[in-house]
Amino acid sequence: MSPALRQCQACGAPVTREAPYPRDAECEKCGADLRCCRNCRHHDLRASNECRETEAELVSDKARRNFCEYFEFTESAFAVGAGVAKDRAAEARAKLEALFKKKP
C-alpha cells in the first residue's frame, strides 16, 4: 500500500510530517500553516462556508491555522490557484476606486 499523498496546498511541497498535526505546524518549504481549511479534506469552495462538515464552526481565513475539531489532511493533489480565495478587502477597494474614479 502506497503512502498517502499529502501536499501543502499553498506551494505543492510534499508534507512529510505525520498526523496528528499540531495547530502550529508549518510547511517545511514555504512556511504556510498546515492545519488550516485549505489543507483539510472537508474544504470545498462550493459548500456552505466552504466546508462540507456541517457541524464545523465558521472560519473566515481559510489559509490560516485554526482550532477546528474536524481537521483531516486532504489527499487531493495540489493544483495551482485551487482554493485560493481573493482578498475580499482588496477586491472591494478596487471596485470602489473604479466606481468613484475621477473622470478626465
Side-chain angles (χ1 to χ4, degrees):
M1 188 158 141
S2 63
L5 170 67
R6 292 189 179 95
Q7 294 176 290
C8 172
Q9 296 299 310
C11 70
V15 174
T16 56
R17 172 177 242 141
E18 293 294 322
Y21 299 93
R23 183 174 180 269
D24 62 349
E26 295 180 344
C27 174
E28 294 173 2
K29 182 178 178 187
C30 71
D33 295 327
L34 290 179
R35 190 182 174 100
C36 66
C37 295
R38 287 185 52 202
N39 285 328
C40 182
R41 75 177 191 92
H42 299 294
H43 184 247
D44 184 350
L45 293 174
R46 298 165 297 192
S48 175
N49 297 327
E50 297 181 9
C51 184
R52 287 189 305 262
E53 176 52 60
T54 58
E55 297 295 315
E57 292 188 26
L58 174 64
V59 175
S60 59
D61 190 346
K62 308 294 186 196
R64 300 274 319 241
R65 62 185 72 163
N66 58 63
F67 290 101
C68 183
E69 299 173 16
Y70 300 100
F71 178 82
E72 291 180 39
F73 213 102
T74 185
E75 293 182 11
S76 298
F78 171 74
V80 176
V84 178
K86 293 182 181 178
D87 181 6
R88 290 182 183 171
E91 187 176 298
R93 191 173 300 112
K95 287 180 181 178
L96 281 171
E97 288 174 0
L99 181 65
F100 293 106
K101 186 176 180 180
K102 292 183 180 178
K103 295 181 182 178

